[in-house]
Amino acid sequence: MNNTVSGFFPRYFHNTSFAVFAFLLFGLLLWIPSLFIPFWGDDYFFLTQAREARLNGDSWWLPFVTQSQTGFWRPLSMDTGWRFVEQVLQGDVISAHIYSWCLTLVSLLAVAWFAYEFARAMHWPQPKLIALLTAAMHAVHVATYLPLHWVAAMNSPTLVFFMSATLALWIALPRLQGRVRWLALLMLPVLQLLALFSKELAILIPALVVVLAIFLRDKQSYQRADVVVLLVCVVMCLVWLYFYKEFTPSRHSAYGLTLGENLVINTLSYSAWIFNVPREALRMIVMERYLLGVAWAAACFIPMAIVYWLSIRALKPSLTIVQWLAGLAFLIIAYGPYFLLANQSYEYYAAVAIILPLLLVARALVMTDRIKIGLLLIGFSSLIAVQGTRSAAYPAVIDRAFWAERQIETLQQDTIVSPLLVSVANEHQFAAIGVRGLEWRLGLPIGSVILTRDCYRNGEKLAQRILVQNTAGDFVWEDCN
C-alpha cells in the first residue's frame, strides 16, 4: 500500500480490517439458517390475532389504548410488528425472518452508537473501532440468537434498539450544545415512551442512566435541565406502570414474579447467558444428560471466560473501584425482573445487559492489540452455542419447531374437515403447533380444532376420526367407533 493510501487510513485499519471483516462475514453466515425456520408456537397466536384485527378493521393504534390478550402490553414491538408481518408481508415466513433480521441490524446500529458515545465520553482512542467490535460481538452472542430464529421474539431487538439509543443519547447529552441539545432533551422522553411500548424492561432506563452517570462522573456532568428531563422520564415510567397493570389483568404463571429457589436458578441461568452458554445446554444438564451437557457448556464457557479474564486484566489499572461497581450494577439492573421469573428464562432476556460487558471487552481488545485472538475465541464460543442449539434434539426449541412443521406438512396432504378432533399426549411438544397453528396452516375456522380424548360430547359423535399423538410423538388418524 502506497504512502498516500497509508496516510488516509488509520494504522489500526491495516492491522485489524481483515479480522473484523472475517468476523462480520462469520456473523452473517451464522445468521443465514434462521431464514429457514418455520413459524412455530406463539407465532401462530400472533398471526391469528393480527388477521382478526385486519378483518375487523381495527386501527393500528388500538393496541396502545386497549387491554392486551397476551398478558404483556407491548403494542409497538408485538401488536404493530405482527400486524406488519400479517398484513404487509402477507404472513410469509421468510419475509417475517428478514423483517427480524432488519430489526436486529437496526438494534446493532444502536448498540454501536451506545458504544461509540461511551468510548468518546471515556476519551478512549479509536471509538469507532470499539463501537464496531461491540456490535459485531453482540451480533453473534447467544443473547441475539433466538429472536432471529423465532419471530415471536421480535420484541427483543426492538427493545435493544430503543434502550441502546436512549442510553446513547443520555451519554452524548453533556457534550451537546444549542438547538441540538434542546432537541435531544425533547427526544429523550419520546425514546423512553417508545421503549416502554416495546417491552417492560424499559422501565429501568432511568436507573441505568444513573449508573452510567456514576461510571462516567469523572469525565462529564449533567445540568439541571437534564435532571428535570430524567425526572419527567421517571414519572412517565410510573404512569406507564399503572396502565400496564390495567391492560394486563392476567398472564401465564410461568411469567409471574416470585421470590424463592427461582431466584437462584435465574441467577445461574443469567450467568450462563453472560458466558455465552445456551439454554439448551443447561436443559441437557438438568435432564441428566450430564456428560454431553457439561461438555457443550464448557466449550461455550471457556473461550468467553478467557476473553473476560484477559479484558479484566487489561482494564484493571485504568478503571476505578467505583467504575467496576457501576459496571456490576449495570449487569444486575439491566436484567432486573428476570431474576424473579417463576419460569421461562431465555437467553435474549440478557440482550441489553450484555452490551456493557462486550463494550469493555472491545476496549480491552483494542488497547492490548488482541483483537484477532479475542474474536477467534468469541467466534468459536458462539459457533458451538448457536449451531449446537440448532442441532439439539427435542425438547430443544428449534427441533420442536421442525417437528411441528413435519406434522403440518403431513396433514396438509390429507383432506381435513371441521371440526378437527385432536388428542394430545405431549402438551409441551404440541405447543410448537398449538390449536392456532393447526387452524392457521390447515385453513380451518377459529374454534374448529377441539382438544379431546374421545370423539363424543354429551353422547353425540363429533367427527368420524380423531387425530391422536402416538408414543413416538407423531400424529396419526384413528377412526371414531
Side-chain angles (χ1 to χ4, degrees):
M1 187 175 289
N2 60 44
N3 292 334
T4 302
V5 176
S6 298
F8 180 77
F9 289 97
R11 181 174 297 177
Y12 68 80
F13 182 87
H14 309 314
N15 297 330
T16 65
S17 59
F18 177 78
V20 174
F21 174 78
F23 192 79
L24 292 173
L25 180 61
F26 162 75
L28 177 64
L29 294 175
L30 200 64
W31 281 18
I32 285 178
S34 68
L35 291 174
F36 307 103
I37 306 298
F39 284 133
W40 59 283
D42 291 347
D43 291 340
Y44 293 116
F45 172 84
F46 291 116
L47 281 168
T48 302
Q49 186 183 46
R51 181 174 61 186
E52 288 180 334
R54 172 174 57 83
L55 294 177
N56 292 336
D58 293 343
S59 167
W60 285 50
W61 297 104
L62 189 61
F64 289 83
V65 293
T66 56
Q67 192 175 101
S68 171
Q69 299 179 32
T70 64
F72 299 100
W73 187 40
R74 301 167 181 172
L76 181 60
S77 65
M78 299 301 295
D79 298 86
T80 303
W82 277 105
R83 189 78 181 265
F84 178 82
V85 169
E86 193 279 332
Q87 186 166 334
V88 179
L89 303 182
Q90 300 182 343
D92 179 69
V93 63
I94 293 182
S95 298
H97 280 299
I98 292 175
Y99 174 61
S100 292
W101 271 44
C102 293
L103 290 177
T104 302
L105 286 171
V106 171
S107 73
L108 292 173
L109 289 175
V111 169
W113 181 27
F114 170 82
Y116 175 73
E117 295 296 346
F118 192 96
R120 284 188 65 198
M122 288 293 294
H123 306 298
W124 288 339
Q126 305 171 21
K128 292 181 181 179
L129 179 58
I130 291 173
L132 178 62
L133 288 174
T134 303
M137 290 186 291
H138 197 284
V140 303
H141 193 275
V142 74
T144 306
Y145 161 76
L146 194 55
L148 291 168
H149 293 71
W150 190 22
V151 186
M154 68 171 73
N155 56 81
S156 181
T158 308
L159 174 76
V160 171
F161 169 75
F162 284 114
M163 286 195 68
S164 298
T166 305
L167 294 175
L169 190 55
W170 272 111
I171 295 173
L173 187 61
R175 297 191 302 275
L176 301 180
Q177 297 179 353
R179 293 181 179 178
V180 175
R181 175 179 172 77
W182 285 107
L183 179 61
L185 288 171
L186 292 174
M187 281 298 300
L188 283 169
V190 176
L191 289 172
Q192 172 73 66
L193 185 61
L194 293 174
L196 288 169
F197 283 149
S198 299
K199 202 169 184 179
E200 304 78 29
L201 192 68
I203 198 172
L204 299 173
I205 288 178
L208 294 177
V209 171
V210 173
V211 168
L212 292 172
I214 293 172
F215 197 110
L216 301 170
R217 64 176 184 169
D218 295 331
K219 306 295 182 180
Q220 60 182 26
S221 59
Y222 290 94
Q223 299 178 19
R224 183 176 300 176
D226 308 341
V227 177
V228 171
V229 170
L230 182 63
L231 293 177
V232 169
C233 291
V234 171
V235 172
M236 288 176 56
C237 289
L238 296 176
V239 173
W240 169 88
L241 184 60
Y242 169 80
F243 284 103
Y244 181 83
K245 292 180 177 179
E246 289 292 314
F247 292 155
T248 56
S250 62
R251 65 175 61 188
H252 194 282
S253 59
Y255 297 99
L257 302 182
T258 61
L259 189 59
E261 65 177 9
N262 61 306
L263 179 60
V264 176
I265 294 172
N266 290 332
T267 300
L268 293 175
S269 299
Y270 177 48
S271 301
W273 314 155
I274 295 298
F275 283 90
N276 222 13
V277 177
R279 185 175 189 257
E280 302 301 347
L282 301 183
R283 190 207 297 266
M284 196 171 287
I285 295 172
V286 171
M287 296 184 68
E288 299 184 358
R289 299 179 64 185
Y290 299 118
L291 186 59
L292 185 57
V294 170
W296 184 8
C300 302
F301 174 87
I302 292 173
M304 285 300 298
I306 293 173
V307 171
Y308 286 141
W309 177 69
L310 292 174
S311 300
I312 291 173
R313 284 191 60 187
L315 295 173
K316 188 176 179 180
S318 59
L319 298 181
T320 67
I321 185 63
V322 171
Q323 289 174 319
W324 284 112
L325 291 175
L328 179 61
F330 187 96
L331 269 176
I332 295 173
I333 294 172
Y335 199 66
Y338 301 127
F339 286 109
L340 302 176
L341 272 183
N343 205 337
Q344 297 292 79
S345 182
Y346 290 102
E347 303 98 323
Y348 66 87
Y349 294 167
V352 173
I354 196 63
I355 296 174
L356 186 57
L358 293 180
L359 167 58
L360 295 177
V361 167
R363 161 59 177 163
L365 295 180
V366 170
M367 70 181 293
T368 58
D369 198 24
R370 286 174 171 165
I371 293 177
K372 295 177 183 178
I373 184 63
L375 294 181
L376 183 64
L377 289 168
I378 293 172
F380 177 81
S381 175
S382 294
L383 177 63
I384 298 298
V386 172
Q387 193 56 44
T389 302
R390 278 201 288 253
S391 305
Y394 177 79
V397 291
I398 301 303
D399 190 69
R400 195 156 58 115
F402 284 124
W403 168 85
E405 188 66 15
R406 289 193 299 270
Q407 307 306 310
I408 290 174
E409 288 177 351
T410 300
L411 290 172
Q412 286 176 332
Q413 298 173 12
D414 203 347
T415 300
I416 308 295
V417 296
S418 179
L420 172 61
L421 307 184
V422 182
S423 177
V424 177
N426 187 332
E427 294 184 1
H428 176 264
Q429 195 172 35
F430 177 70
I433 307 176
V435 170
R436 294 290 187 236
L438 289 172
E439 292 171 345
W440 179 272
R441 295 295 299 278
L442 300 178
L444 298 172
I446 293 177
S448 62
V449 175
I450 302 174
L451 300 183
T452 180
R453 293 296 181 184
D454 57 54
C455 303
Y456 295 86
R457 179 180 294 174
N458 298 326
E460 179 183 354
K461 182 186 286 188
L462 298 175
Q464 297 302 313
R465 57 181 182 170
I466 182 172
L467 194 61
V468 178
Q469 189 178 26
N470 61 25
T471 55
D474 297 324
F475 282 100
V476 295
W477 289 107
E478 291 186 2
D479 292 330
C480 290
N481 298 322

